[in-house]
Amino acid sequence: MTSTDAPPSAHPSTAADLLAPHPLRDRVAVVTGGGTGLGLEISRGLAALGSHVWIASRSVEHHRGFLDECAARGWKGQARVLDVREPASVGALAREVEAQHGRCDILVNNAAGNFVCPSERLSERAWRAVLGIVLDGSFYCSREFGRVMIGHGGGQILNVLATYAWTGMPGVLHSACAKAGVLAMTRTLAVEWARHGIRVNAIAPGPFDSDGARANLWPDAEHERRLRERIPLQRFAGTREVAAQCLWLLSPGSSYVNGECVTIDGGASLGQGMWDAGTAIRRRRDADPEQP
Ligand code: HXC
Ligand code: NAP
């Protein structure tokens, strides 16, 4: 019998099966800062794929758009007011999600605070504000939702970093240190919790346009233009193209990826070399006939 005679069900599965059409249907997901910017696009993407998505952040106003869209499109979504710096509140949310669904499959640590300030002028409260949201908040959420995942057969955690966690960037000492800490958290929990069926990964986007970034990072169009020109692809990422990589990292298509950080920055964090791309470089002897 040739392979074409075999009934379709007898064919061995292929890698395409891991890219199934509904890879995230009926997953229970929590996205911190899920009402704005990148977090909103991750939440919309998960909900569109059939997950039940809880968004959690400080401001009720930031929740309305997602909840309205859920109602209009028949998506499953809920929102809770949460400051990720408060461990008791994070624990209460984890218990609420567990009580409602009996599990939590996905946590996205996306919430962040940031602003540009010369390090020598950074006050203790300013340092604490950013470290508290990014580093402490990611720890509290990972611990509380991690406990739920450990108790119910596993899950996935995705942390949102920034490439300056390892490249450095002037003016964002607090955020760079916090994101570097979350990178260490990603790798540590990946090796510690793999035995519980929990994968922990991260993404590191380059700059993309969001209300938060525009308000806190690039104050005007001229700064934004200069930033954009330094990116090899010559443009910012769209939040949807960054969110698409998150969906892949959370799907069975990446089932053996653990402890990894995927950079999504249009090449911005790579070395820019000694000259601009496209510069015509002549051999020295062609430029100067006296040269040997
Ligand atoms: C200097 C500042 C400051 C600024 C606040 N502070 N903004 N210092 N420059 N621009 C100081 C305050 O003066 C105060 O210190 C301390 O920080 C705490 O301020 P609060 O307003 O009380 O803090 P809080 O209410 O907790 O607000 C958190 C916040 C705020 C981080 C300060 O910016 C915020 O809520 N941000 C959320 C949205 C956001 O930042 N999105 C950007 C994500 S983009 P003193 O000593 O005066 O009391 C990103 C990566 C971009 O993260 C990567 C690009 C490549
Ligand atoms: P954003 O829209 O300002 O998102 C930040 C979110 O965090 C908001 O929804 C905010 O909601 C929430 N948040 C802040 N403090 C919180 C707290 N204490 N508790 C709970 N939630 C809190 O900015 P964004 O640009 O989309 O950023 C999303 C992620 O991408 C962040 O991790 C950021 O560091 C990262 N990133 C961004 C860029 C960029 O260029 N934009 C580049 C690299 C990485 P509330 O105000 O309602 O609390």
Side-chain angles (χ1 to χ4, degrees):
M1 190 166 76
T2 66
S3 61
T4 48
D5 296 325
S9 59
H11 292 304
S13 68
T14 69
D17 297 331
L18 295 178
L19 305 176
H22 304 295
L24 294 165
R25 184 181 278 168
D26 293 330
R27 301 290 165 89
V28 177
V30 175
V31 183
T32 65
T36 69
L38 175 62
L40 176 59
E41 286 306 333
I42 296 170
S43 302
R44 294 180 71 238
L46 286 168
L49 287 169
S51 292
H52 189 119
V53 183
W54 293 66
I55 62 169
S57 74
R58 299 164 301 175
S59 159
V60 178
E61 282 69 49
H62 287 161
H63 301 165
R64 288 221 178 89
F66 178 67
L67 293 178
D68 288 349
E69 191 170 9
C70 286
R73 301 182 71 163
W75 292 346
K76 292 166 282 186
Q78 278 172 268
R80 289 291 178 271
V81 170
L82 176 76
D83 189 326
V84 294
R85 292 171 286 192
E86 295 169 4
S89 311
V90 174
L93 178 62
R95 284 188 291 280
E96 189 183 359
V97 172
E98 186 180 24
Q100 185 164 321
H101 302 279
R103 63 186 209 276
C104 177
D105 302 308
I106 290 169
L107 166 69
V108 182
N109 283 314
N110 164 81
N114 204 357
F115 47 82
V116 179
C117 179
S119 301
E120 67 276 18
R121 279 196 246 138
L122 200 58
S123 74
E124 291 90 347
R125 285 197 67 233
W127 168 264
R128 272 278 15 119
V130 172
L131 267 286
I133 298 168
V134 176
L135 186 58
D136 300 354
S138 298
F139 164 58
Y140 298 146
C141 291
S142 300
R143 183 183 63 185
E144 296 302 323
F145 288 97
R147 283 174 178 161
V148 177
M149 292 174 187
I150 288 169
H152 299 282
Q156 290 187 64
I157 299 175
L158 181 66
N159 296 321
V160 180
L161 311 180
T163 52
Y164 53 57
W166 58 90
T167 64
M169 185 169 120
V172 290
L173 183 69
H174 44 15
S175 178
C177 291
K179 297 287 190 185
V182 181
L183 178 58
M185 196 184 303
T186 303
R187 292 176 173 151
T188 302
L189 292 179
V191 291
E192 187 175 331
W193 285 352
R195 71 194 182 90
H196 297 298
I198 300 174
R199 285 197 292 134
V200 188
N201 288 298
I203 59 156
F208 59 82
D209 196 26
S210 70
D211 289 347
R214 214 178 310 121
N216 295 294
L217 286 156
W218 42 92
D220 52 47
E222 177 54 20
H223 280 84
E224 191 181 318
R225 185 187 62 76
R226 272 194 261 152
L227 198 55
R228 207 168 266 168
E229 278 176 359
R230 294 166 61 132
I231 300 170
L233 283 180
Q234 301 270 300
R235 65 175 179 85
F236 284 176
T239 42
R240 268 193 292 276
E241 36 184 357
V242 179
Q245 299 307 310
C246 299
L247 298 182
W248 171 74
L249 272 171
L250 294 168
S251 78
S254 66
S255 50
Y256 206 62
V257 180
N258 189 30
E260 186 54 80
C261 176
V262 177
T263 297
I264 311 161
D265 72 346
S269 59
L270 297 174
Q272 303 277 323
M274 292 185 291
W275 41 74
D276 292 336
T279 305
I281 308 294
R282 289 183 299 170
R283 291 166 71 182
R284 185 180 287 254
R285 71 165 179 245
D286 294 340
D288 179 0
E290 299 299 307
Q291 286 281 329

